[in-house]
Amino acid sequence: MPTVKKKLALLKSKNEHIQLSGGIDRIDTQHSLGKLTARERLQLLYDQGFYDELYRFAEHQSHAFGLDKRDLPADGVVTGLGAIGGRLAYASSQDFMVMGGSVGGTHAWKICEIMDMALKAGAPYISINDSGGARIQEGVDSLRGYGRIFYYNTLLSGVVPQIAIIAGPCAGGAAYSPALMDFIIMVKDTGQMFIAGPEVIKAATGEIISAEELGGAAAQASQSGNVHFIAANDQEAIHIAHTLLSYLPANNTEDPPSLPTDSLLMIEDEALNYVVPDDSREPYDMYDILRSVFDSGSLFEVHSHYAKNIICSFARINGRVAGIVANQPIEKFGAIDIDASDKASRFVRFCNAFNIPLVSFVDVPGFLPGVEQEFGGIIRHGAKMLFSFSAATVPKISIVVRKAYGGAYLAMCAKSLGADRVVAWPTAEIAVMGAEGAVGVLYKNEIKAAADPKEKRKELIKEYREEFSTPYAAASKGLVDSVIEPKQTRGYLSVALESLRNKRDLRPQKKHGLIPL
Ligand code: HXC
């Protein structure tokens, strides 16, 4: 019978062995690739580098293909819990040094256990991905494991925030777990995700493309829109996760964390009165407005590389968190296309799920016209914005800055979609369509019959603009609460948000609505 000393020594040696994971050489290789190890990543993620590791001694149960002779410490994934910014969070971190971080039955079970704990504790879940995918030797056990991971991702969805960091390969079906989560942060150069890799694509379609071009951060952030944030390295990826979490509540029953402020700060920025150019066809940078209105340094943009014609960003006003959806006139004149619709709808639904008030800044000439857009389903995709804003029950406030035309205006959350407060700047042009288009329809015959049709058209456009493309026609019918000087926007928003703090919007019970997917 071993003595206590021997038992303690055995525990120590087991712990040391697991801590070393794949061994010194593999740690060196991981570092030489610019990657941290799975445990180093968790140390960086958690306050003071401390986390409570669970199922450290778990082992795979497989005997196939000689696996019974393979020692796989912690079965290639480190799972645990700890504090991030003083708040509880759960995480899993795949260990590429152990059989390429491949996912076998035990590996998947550990991840599901930690997700189940996050769900029950009402705390965020962070998944750090660095894996060769399904552990081929474990076959259907691996497949079942992935199925369970996807199932838990879905259970957690809308209950606790889920953040995926892709810090290595994440290929094939494995990519669907991050895709089911709320935000994806990808590390440049080392992170890659795709369903079918370059070799499979070459065999199937003959297309030749490198793994980085296909699944690297640039492609996945700007082309597919799968990735929300690009990080230069593991350290930055974890820093982004920290910042993101600082805007989010722990779960759907809590409010987002506010920073303490004594009183409402009604600072007026005179420059804001002159941001919108005199010529309404001239673009300007919507950021000039957002930076002036929200707390200094508080803008935290999501999806910044994708559909740049719409801005989705977290921010604070007087310390309170808000989710901003804003048209960006310097990109496609701020028109809403398919990608912008998807990006904004997803953000709106996230904010609504986690009790984050929504603020829209509207300068939209319409949905982007074109055959490609129509055939691509702009009707279905644009409808997602109408649906998600209408369905959102959090406080909804809209600032009409300039153009607010037709269905695209409604899609930015007009009063008729349930906006609680809508205010317009004097530069606002709220109308069913732009003056050019309206005149073409209303005065087709008069223009044709005129001595100088071009001049007549110009004249009529000017008349239409003066009469209808102003905020006052809309204000006279209660479509906007008021028309304010742009410099008063921060004060207006502060009061509006404060007055809506206890908003209740109860809807009929149903299983779920049918967002046009
Ligand atoms: C078992 C794996 C593995 C896997 C890697 N390894 N992927 N073992 N199953 N899926 C092992 C390697 O054999 C090697 O073991 C160690 O991990 C390191 O891998 P290397 O190839 O040496 O590393 P590297 O050169 O960096 O290449 C990384 C890689 C490559 C690009 C990820 O390993 C690779 O292509 N792996 C296979 C990817 C794949 O086809 N996965 C299955 C997809 S199917 P040793 O013993 O030498 O250390 C799938 C279906 C999921 O995922 C379905 C869910 C719905």
Side-chain angles (χ1 to χ4, degrees):
M1 192 72 165
T3 61
V4 169
K5 268 193 175 169
K6 276 189 181 156
K7 286 182 181 176
L8 288 173
L10 177 66
L11 174 63
K12 188 165 178 273
S13 81
K14 274 184 179 289
N15 264 326
E16 282 170 358
H17 175 70
I18 293 169
Q19 191 71 22
L20 261 187
S21 162
I24 297 282
D25 289 351
R26 295 203 172 200
I27 294 177
D28 288 345
T29 308
Q30 187 87 349
H31 287 164
S32 72
L33 296 170
K35 293 160 80 174
L36 297 175
T37 68
R39 286 192 167 77
E40 286 167 347
R41 286 168 176 157
L42 288 184
Q43 276 167 359
L44 208 59
L45 182 69
Y46 285 116
D47 295 352
Q48 286 90 43
F50 174 79
Y51 62 94
D52 189 11
E53 186 175 338
L54 302 180
Y55 307 118
R56 186 177 166 88
F57 300 101
E59 291 179 2
H60 71 83
Q61 310 292 319
S62 182
H63 300 275
F65 300 100
L67 267 193
D68 49 337
K69 292 177 197 71
R70 291 287 302 258
D71 165 41
L72 304 178
D75 206 37
V77 62
V78 187
T79 50
L81 60 112
I84 300 176
R87 301 189 301 158
L88 176 67
Y90 289 76
S92 61
S93 179
Q94 292 179 313
D95 188 348
F96 192 81
M97 303 180 301
V98 177
M99 227 176 163
S102 55
V103 177
T106 302
H107 181 123
W109 171 81
K110 286 180 66 174
I111 292 177
C112 291
E113 280 294 296
I114 220 75
M115 280 200 264
D116 190 46
M117 288 178 195
L119 184 65
K120 285 177 180 150
Y125 166 60
I126 297 112
S127 143
I128 305 179
N129 297 262
D130 188 359
S131 163
R135 186 174 296 153
I136 293 157
Q137 294 87 334
E138 292 204 36
V140 292
D141 283 338
S142 171
L143 198 56
R144 174 172 55 187
Y146 268 119
R148 291 309 283 173
I149 293 174
F150 302 160
Y151 178 77
Y152 271 99
N153 282 138
T154 309
L155 287 189
L156 267 63
S157 182
V159 181
V160 296
Q162 299 185 81
I163 300 171
I165 295 176
I166 300 186
C170 182
Y176 281 116
S177 176
L180 285 163
M181 298 174 75
D182 303 323
F183 296 102
I184 300 181
I185 304 164
M186 187 181 269
V187 181
K188 210 164 154 273
D189 300 330
T190 50
Q192 282 169 4
M193 70 192 298
F194 36 72
I195 293 301
E199 289 308 316
V200 179
I201 288 184
K202 192 174 160 194
T205 68
E207 292 163 296
I208 295 172
I209 188 163
S210 72
E212 183 60 27
E213 281 170 333
L214 182 68
Q220 293 294 332
S222 58
Q223 300 292 326
S224 70
N226 288 327
V227 164
H228 299 82
F229 302 96
I230 299 179
N233 49 36
D234 289 2
Q235 288 82 347
E236 197 191 4
I238 288 164
H239 177 67
I240 292 171
H242 287 166
T243 309
L244 182 54
L245 285 168
S246 75
Y247 289 90
L248 310 183
N251 61 60
N252 64 335
T253 66
E254 291 184 8
D255 285 331
S258 358
L259 297 178
T261 41
D262 294 338
S263 58
L264 295 183
L265 295 171
M266 305 293 208
I267 305 159
E268 291 191 353
D269 177 4
E270 195 70 28
L272 212 48
N273 279 358
Y274 306 99
V275 170
V276 176
D278 286 339
D279 181 349
S280 83
R281 286 161 303 180
E282 206 180 301
Y284 61 91
D285 189 350
M286 182 57 84
Y287 265 105
D288 291 340
I289 295 175
L290 303 182
R291 268 192 290 265
S292 161
V293 170
F294 291 92
D295 293 356
S296 172
S298 75
L299 288 173
F300 182 63
E301 193 180 353
V302 171
H303 249 151
S304 65
H305 301 272
Y306 185 66
K308 293 180 180 177
N309 40 334
I310 207 153
I311 297 168
C312 295
S313 179
F314 295 111
R316 283 197 158 82
I317 185 153
N318 294 313
R320 294 192 160 278
V321 176
I324 304 166
V325 178
N327 307 115
Q328 173 56 291
I330 54 175
E331 295 283 340
K332 299 181 182 169
F333 295 100
I336 299 176
D337 58 3
I338 291 169
D339 292 347
S341 303
D342 280 358
K343 170 174 161 177
S345 307
R346 183 180 170 124
F347 185 71
V348 167
R349 283 172 75 78
F350 177 84
C351 289
N352 188 50
F354 290 103
N355 312 315
I356 297 172
L358 288 160
V359 183
S360 299
F361 284 77
V362 186
D363 188 350
V364 65
F367 285 107
L368 189 71
V371 175
E372 198 186 323
Q373 289 291 312
E374 295 291 343
F375 285 3
I378 183 68
I379 296 175
R380 181 176 75 251
H381 294 286
K384 290 179 193 168
M385 284 185 75
L386 296 165
F387 190 104
S388 47
F389 267 124
S390 298
T393 55
V394 289
K396 298 184 281 196
I397 302 169
S398 297
I399 316 286
V400 185
V401 171
R402 191 169 64 174
K403 297 185 183 103
Y405 292 147
Y409 165 48
L410 301 181
M412 288 299 292
C413 198
K415 201 90 177 174
S416 42
L417 257 65
D420 300 289
R421 304 289 303 271
V422 179
V423 77
W425 287 9
T427 43
E429 302 170 13
I430 306 172
V432 71
M433 67 196 293
E436 284 83 356
V439 161
V441 176
L442 287 175
Y443 304 109
K444 192 173 155 195
N445 295 333
E446 285 92 326
I447 294 172
K448 228 191 223 166
D452 184 348
K454 226 172 157 186
E455 201 47 44
K456 182 76 184 163
R457 201 175 121 78
K458 244 167 114 181
E459 204 179 286
L460 289 166
I461 288 173
K462 189 167 170 276
E463 258 174 43
Y464 183 94
R465 269 218 184 97
E466 278 163 11
E467 194 156 344
F468 297 108
S469 298
T470 75
Y472 302 105
S476 74
K477 294 175 194 299
L479 271 71
V480 300
D481 303 340
S482 191
V483 182
I484 60 167
E485 272 194 67
K487 68 177 183 183
Q488 297 169 318
T489 305
R490 182 181 163 87
Y492 170 85
L493 259 183
S494 305
V495 174
L497 282 169
E498 201 56 35
S499 68
L500 291 163
R501 205 203 280 210
N502 297 322
K503 178 187 171 188
R504 292 287 175 270
D505 183 353
L506 302 173
R507 305 282 175 99
Q509 282 271 333
K510 57 182 162 182
K511 211 165 171 188
H512 57 71
L514 294 157
I515 188 163
L517 294 172

